[in-house]
Amino acid sequence: MGDLQLVYCRVERDGAVLYLRRVPDAFLGGRWELPGGTVEPGEAHEAAAVREAAEETGLTVRIVAERARHSWLDVTGGQRRVHARIFDVAEEAPREVTLNEGEHDGFVWTADPAGLGLAAHFQS
């Protein structure tokens, strides 16, 4: 099995960052994360980030810069590595967040995510 490529978007509005809560019955259910997901085969990381933001939040964004890269062994076991890129993005126009209910059940805009229990790769 090949490595897993993930992308995430750091959407900031009025000094607060958008975080989404995974539905309880999903992998890592109940955990907070940045909007993002899996890069499809042949897809550019930047394009995947923009697509995932739209699918998960209904927001239209553009890439501003790459913020961070992280890699770790897959927590489900095996020898696969997970590679994640986090992008700073800008909204084309502020809109109401519309969640994909199959993936997330809540969202918060916050400048202080300390109480969210974020994974280490979301804290950079």
Side-chain angles (χ1 to χ4, degrees):
M1 181 182 308
D3 288 355
L4 180 61
Q5 302 289 328
L6 301 175
V7 291
Y8 296 97
C9 293
R10 186 176 183 279
V11 185
E12 188 172 331
R13 184 188 291 176
D14 299 324
V17 176
L18 176 63
Y19 295 94
L20 310 178
R21 186 178 58 217
R22 296 179 67 82
V23 294
D25 59 345
F27 178 68
L28 299 176
R31 297 285 306 264
W32 291 91
E33 63 184 0
L34 296 169
T38 304
V39 178
E40 300 295 336
E43 186 177 30
H45 288 81
E46 295 82 356
V50 169
R51 174 184 54 76
E52 287 286 348
E55 290 175 0
E56 294 187 351
T57 67
L59 301 178
T60 302
V61 301
R62 61 180 163 72
I63 302 294
V64 174
E66 185 173 316
R67 173 175 281 269
R69 289 186 188 200
H70 302 277
S71 294
W72 60 90
L73 281 175
D74 193 339
V75 297
T76 62
Q79 297 303 307
R80 176 169 75 164
R81 289 197 65 78
V82 177
H83 305 281
R85 292 186 188 186
I86 298 174
F87 294 97
D88 288 327
V89 300
E91 295 178 89
E92 292 296 336
R95 297 176 59 185
E96 183 64 33
V97 173
T98 305
L99 296 177
N100 177 337
E101 294 178 6
E103 294 185 44
H104 299 96
D105 65 0
F107 71 93
V108 64
W109 293 94
T110 183
D112 182 14
L116 298 180
L118 297 174
H121 58 278
F122 294 129
Q123 297 177 24
S124 59

